[in-house]
Amino acid sequence: MFRTALRNVLAHKARLLMTVLAVMLGVAFVSGTLVFTNTISDAYQRSSAKGFDRVDVAVTPKYQDSEGDRVGGRADLTQAVLDRAGHVPGAASATGVVSGFTAVADQDGKLVGGDWQSAGGNYWGTKDARYPLVDGHAPHGKDEVLLDSRTAERGGYKVGDTVRLSVDGPVLTPTLAGVFTTDDGNVSAGGSLALFDTPTAQTLFGKKGTYDEIDVRAAAGTGQAALKSELDKALPARLVETTTGRKLADDQATQIAASMSGLKQALLVFAGIALFVGTFIIANTFTMLVAQRTRELALMRAVGASRRQVTRSVLIEAFAVGAVAGVTGLAAGIGIGAGLRSLLGSFGASVPDGPLVITPGTVVAALAVGILITMLAAWLPGRRAAKIPPVAAMSSVHAKATTKSLVLRNTFGALFSAAGVATVLGATTMDTDAAQAPMGLGAVLLIIGVFILTPLLSRPLIAAAAPVLRVFGVSGKLARQNSVRNPRRTAATASALMIGLTLITGMTVMAGSLQTAIDKMASSAIRADYVVSMANRGPLSPDVADKVAAADGVTASSPLRNAESRIDGTTEFLTGVNGSSIGKLTDLKVDDGAFEVGGSRVVVDKDRAKDYGWKPGSHFTAHFEDGKARRLTVAGIYEGNEMINGIMLDNKVLTPHLKDPADMQVMVRTAGGTSDAARNTLTKALGLNPAIKIQDKQDISNDIAKMFTTMLNMLYGLLGMAVIVAVLGVINTLAMSVFERSQEIGMLRAIGLDRKAVKRMVRLESLVISLFGGVLGIGLGVFFGWAAGQLLGTKMPTYELVLPWARMALFLLLAALVGVLAALWPARRAARLDMLTAIKAE
């Protein structure tokens, strides 16, 4: 039986090639994902580990919890703490670390490095071992700065040049005192690092006389654990905590692995989709192969082969196919992993240098996926063939499915579909977090149910295309009959395309609806022409609001200043605004009372009002970070949204209680509305600052929606894999269908059907099957998009379903294109059959 199985594999090389390709694509995606994510993770871990080589123990401040009416905060690492840490037994040296956001502009005024990777820090003394100088000298005073060598090269700077940079808003123009090298992973990944002397860094980052961290080096012969123990004895435990360098490196590695897990899971989901689609093709292929060899298998049964041996022979064939697909898929996956890493550069990102990582787990996963998926998909056709009695197989009595089996299939399909629809609808009534698992389960049940019902659905849907097919005469009529002749095969072929289009349509519906909701939110909540913010969404210096207010053409402006407070023993963040102008800059719907901010009068969003039981006229006491309190009165209750919410009070009341006031953004209204001239005026007023964004309402909307757009574009690219697999499935089905119908095609040719008509018949059959899958996929995608939107609507009042008719038409056109392309080779093969040879075929 083993030799027979291998001979069958070699005898059907051409027919099994596309099955191998289908499995190979899925395996390549899995192994490529693992290679890519392991390589990136390893590169960052190696880079970050180098950064901890010079840290034996790190001392960091503890965050004090808020209690009662006291607002918590971070303990200060003062010079006294630094001095004490440097003199404990076993310590060789102690270095104070200060860090913060620093945006560096190149010679053309453009930001160097990513928004989130633009960092700044302090250079310790005259020779900092962390940052070896390759040119120049250590910085002295506020007018000197150091840049890492990559940033200096990209920015076009050399020692002695004036550098344009910003920390929290105002533009600084220090002289480049020197250039250094660093193992910092963010710099290796395309970011920038600027260093000032310690007093300057403390002043710029709002940490006068204090440090973010103290790095302690151990003396020779002292271990990290021993040094940590001595530091724990010498330093106040309620204010600081100590961590060994080894623990920091391990924690960093864990964080990197966790951050990569999301990307890995997303990519593996798409790999699973490709494999899921490929499973239909494998099952379809083996079903047809086994059907073609029914008499052969029956003869084997007649001469003594058992059912298990017949099933085993089919599984041996599947093992051989899966092994070949697994090995070739692994090789292709390694190439995909390397290609994805190189592709990051085209998106303006880079990663630290490092080798391509191919772990034993990746090899095992690739082979296991290829072999197991193929064998599982082939098991049912093999088992089904083994159960056919030899006499029935030889006389082809088994050929058609019984009415009982079809009724049973349709019953199961209806139950799965009903359960899926009910679960999805039930999930739409739940809380967003609780609904995710039921929504996913319902989607899987519904897709399985529709797949089971596809043979039943194929007849009425394909019959609907009959009027169009009649235009093509006999070829059209034959194509329709061939499409419904074997509804199970048609269903399996169309389902591959259905799944891909379900996902892509659902995501497109959600993305389009979200974009519209965000546009409405921005236009309905904001009257301001522009919103000014930092590129990294960090705090702005109060100087920015002052410069904006003084700019030509500005008629109203207000900073949004956040501060922590305690209200009734609960931590609440307050938003400080200019009470006299905030009403001109926002257009929030007021549910009760008046939108009036000034003195002790504040406005609150309706969610907080509900939580605290407030209404217009209610009084409450806010305790600020300086320990003082103020009794405030609720003037009005408004409908908040994702952009504006919380408790708003006048900055004249809030600012005196803040140690270091900082704004999250500044809202601006100009005399002439939005225009290039107004934007240029604001840009010049802020000193052509590369770290500051000046956005109108559409910019804000696009910025928020960017992540959905990026995700959608990624989805289109990744689901292209599923479409390719679906094309292979249609080609496979049609090729085998042509082989099965060789005698029939020969008879049609003999009675007058020419080669062009035969080609047209096969092409139309392929087109009908593909459009059938496309219609099902788009219909399911719209349903899932609507259901997910119902959940989003509970968090976003402006959300409403928007159907992207143009995109859906494009997807249907894509399905038709799949059908046309998939039919090219089978149609040509059918037309080239020799009619006499075909008529004699069995």
Side-chain angles (χ1 to χ4, degrees), residues 131-303:
Y131 308 111
L133 287 172
V134 294
D135 192 12
H137 59 81
H140 300 289
K142 64 179 182 179
D143 294 325
E144 289 189 344
V145 68
L146 300 182
L147 292 179
D148 68 90
S149 55
R150 295 191 184 194
T151 300
E153 182 180 351
R154 285 181 292 165
Y157 291 117
K158 60 183 183 295
V159 174
D161 287 347
T162 298
V163 180
R164 291 178 58 81
L165 54 84
S166 174
V167 171
D168 60 359
V171 174
L172 305 176
T173 54
T175 300
L176 183 61
V179 176
F180 63 91
T181 59
T182 178
D183 294 326
D184 189 294
N186 282 333
V187 174
S188 300
S192 64
L193 180 60
L195 300 177
F196 310 89
D197 68 9
T198 299
T200 302
Q202 289 174 324
T203 301
L204 289 175
F205 301 134
K207 299 157 187 173
K208 292 182 181 180
T210 64
Y211 302 95
D212 294 305
E213 182 178 307
I214 296 172
D215 294 339
V216 186
R217 292 297 305 273
T222 302
Q224 291 186 353
L227 178 59
K228 180 181 184 300
S229 178
E230 292 294 338
L231 287 167
D232 287 340
K233 294 176 185 176
L235 302 178
R238 64 183 181 83
L239 298 179
V240 303
E241 55 186 347
T242 58
T243 312
T244 63
R246 190 176 298 108
K247 178 71 163 52
L248 288 172
D250 292 342
D251 290 346
Q252 184 76 8
T254 302
Q255 289 176 10
I256 291 171
S259 66
M260 294 300 296
S261 68
L263 175 62
K264 182 185 289 187
Q265 288 174 7
L267 292 174
L268 285 175
V269 165
F270 292 111
I273 293 167
L275 284 170
F276 188 51
V277 172
T279 302
F280 292 129
I281 298 172
I282 301 164
N284 217 10
T285 301
F286 276 94
T287 298
M288 289 186 281
L289 285 174
V290 169
Q292 291 169 13
R293 290 166 39 213
T294 300
R295 291 189 180 183
E296 173 193 329
L297 295 174
L299 182 60
M300 291 171 62
R301 289 285 313 283
V303 297

Side-chain angles (χ1 to χ4, degrees), residues 742-753:
S742 295
Q743 190 177 54
E744 175 189 321
I745 292 172
M747 289 294 295
L748 290 171
R749 290 287 315 285
I751 61 175
L753 197 68

Side-chain angles (χ1 to χ4, degrees), residues 11 14 25 38 72 232 247 356 452 494 502 523 552 586 617 666 707 781:
L25 284 171
N38 288 338
D232 287 340
K247 178 71 163 52
L356 200 65
I452 296 173
T502 295
S523 60
D552 292 338
T586 58
V666 180
M707 61 177 177

Side-chain angles (χ1 to χ4, degrees), residues 593-666:
F595 196 87
E596 181 183 338
V597 180
S600 63
R601 296 178 67 78
V602 303
V603 292
V604 300
D605 65 75
K606 65 178 183 181
D607 290 336
R608 282 173 179 77
K610 182 178 179 182
D611 291 340
Y612 288 100
W614 291 337
K615 58 185 179 179
S618 297
H619 303 284
F620 64 91
T621 301
H623 297 265
F624 303 102
E625 66 178 43
D626 63 354
K628 296 180 180 179
R630 176 73 181 262
R631 190 155 178 82
L632 303 173
T633 303
V634 177
I637 297 171
Y638 67 93
E639 286 192 12
N641 54 48
E642 296 297 320
M643 299 176 70
I644 302 175
N645 56 56
I647 303 170
M648 288 189 201
L649 73 163
D650 199 302
N651 273 323
K652 293 177 182 178
V653 175
L654 178 64
T655 304
H657 299 286
L658 305 181
K659 179 182 176 182
D660 294 306
D663 303 324
M664 296 311 296
Q665 59 188 32
V666 180

